[in-house]
Amino acid sequence: IIERAARGELAVPDFPALVADVRRIHREVRADVRGAVADYIPQLARVEADRFAISVCTVDGQRFSIGDAGVRFCLQSVSKTVNYCLTLEEHGPDTVHRHVGREPSGQGFNELTFNKAGLPHNPMINAGAIMSCALIQQGLDAADRFDFVADAWRRLAGGRAVGFNNSVYLSERTTADRNFALGYSMRERGAFPPGTDLLDTLDFYFQCCSIELTARHLAIAAASLANAGVCPLTGDRVFSAGTVRHCLSLMSSCGMYDFSGEFAFTIGLPAKSGVSGALMLVVPQLMGIAVWSPRLDAQGNSVRGIEVCRRLVDCYNVHTY
Ligand code: DON
């Protein structure tokens, strides 16, 4: 970084100005207490609603974090991004998309709905993410399968060990009627690849949702996606550029559930949210941003998370169009 700074080649040359803006946005948005913590997973309802972190990591590794950026939270649906990337790396897009579509559903993230071919609409909603889990390393046993996903997150996050929230996992598993319904419905339609064990697949899906990261580490992972699959801190190529391109495309069109169209219109950047209040925003070729604030709006997106994105796009010309 020092060499690049000396040559005047930093991705964000005036990083201190960005830091000042992020500080201001954090201060302003903190006052926003709209929304409610997700309570359909009992253990998730116990997080402190007022937690708030913003973390930034550029593609050349300049970093800044503010607020609760060292506190771990569950990825929930943010895990769908990496799971999709892993399916692409293992099977290629043609095979993967024989089992999952790539159109926005226009409906809630756990809606019991499928496309005309009887497949999940896309990998960024629950049905599609359950499908991703069926496609990842079917030959491995449960422990190795989990390690395989956790290891991808670890590498994306700069080699930092990721956590796992067992009580959220157990709590979700016992209250997941909708996800079971999605799974059985897809099995009835013959959507899964041969050899899929539905209950193992669902269990694996719940485990992936309960992987924990801090905002600091999620921002590094987002920066790895911004950097076409190479972690800016370690130089480790975790995913191919093609895999990341597909993932960012679907994050742009489907990453914010039934708010995805509005998000694409106003923010214009690939993003993915989770019901834990996590939000991962990618500014391709520039930086990754993680926001964590558990209060959610009606679509299940973090209220403050969306507000932070809005304000960032207001002061920086990063909207794709
Ligand atoms: O399957 C579920 O319902 C949760 N584990 C994940 C949903 C989620 O994060 C959707 N987010 N907004």
Side-chain angles (χ1 to χ4, degrees), residues 263-284:
F263 194 87
F265 186 81
T266 49
I267 314 292
L269 290 169
K272 186 75 199 80
S273 60
V275 287
S276 52
L279 197 160
M280 172 167 80
L281 181 73
V282 177
V283 189

Side-chain angles (χ1 to χ4, degrees), residues 40-41 75-77 80 109-110 126 172 179 205 209 257 273-276 299-301:
Y40 77 104
I41 299 172
L75 290 173
Q76 291 298 332
S77 285
K80 295 173 164 83
F109 61 85
N110 59 5
N126 288 15
E172 172 159 10
N179 287 323
Y205 167 78
C209 291
Y257 310 110
S273 60
V275 287
S276 52
Q299 282 90 15
N301 293 317

Side-chain angles (χ1 to χ4, degrees), residues 30-43:
R30 196 186 187 104
D32 192 338
V33 292
R34 287 173 300 158
V37 174
D39 57 4
Y40 77 104
I41 299 172
Q43 218 71 24

Side-chain angles (χ1 to χ4, degrees), residues 86-231:
L86 290 171
T87 67
L88 292 174
E89 296 272 311
E90 188 175 339
H91 304 282
D94 294 344
T95 303
V96 168
H97 288 289
R98 278 205 282 277
H99 299 281
V100 58
R102 41 195 191 219
E103 290 289 346
S105 70
Q107 298 181 59
F109 61 85
N110 59 5
E111 212 64 50
L112 201 56
T113 159
F114 301 94
N115 67 17
K116 287 200 187 87
L119 303 177
H121 291 278
N122 65 71
M124 300 295 158
I125 54 174
N126 288 15
I130 293 168
M131 185 57 75
S132 293
C133 285
L135 286 160
I136 294 172
Q137 299 292 330
Q138 241 192 39
L140 294 182
D141 66 28
D144 286 338
R145 242 177 159 188
F146 178 78
D147 280 346
F148 183 75
V149 173
D151 198 54
W153 278 106
R154 181 187 63 75
R155 290 170 62 196
L156 288 166
R160 276 43 172 202
V162 301
F164 175 71
N165 191 321
N166 194 44
S167 55
V168 170
Y169 157 69
L170 293 170
S171 160
E172 172 159 10
R173 199 176 56 160
T174 49
T175 54
D177 290 350
R178 178 59 67 91
N179 287 323
F180 279 93
L182 289 168
Y184 281 108
S185 197
M186 288 191 282
R187 189 166 80 179
E188 184 192 19
R189 286 156 214 263
F192 284 114
T196 298
D197 180 304
L198 178 57
L199 297 182
D200 287 354
T201 299
L202 285 164
D203 214 39
F204 182 35
Y205 167 78
F206 304 138
Q207 288 164 14
C208 294
C209 291
S210 291
I211 290 175
E212 284 191 325
L213 257 71
T214 63
R216 197 167 278 138
H217 297 155
L218 185 59
I220 302 170
S224 299
L225 298 182
N227 199 31
V230 177
C231 177

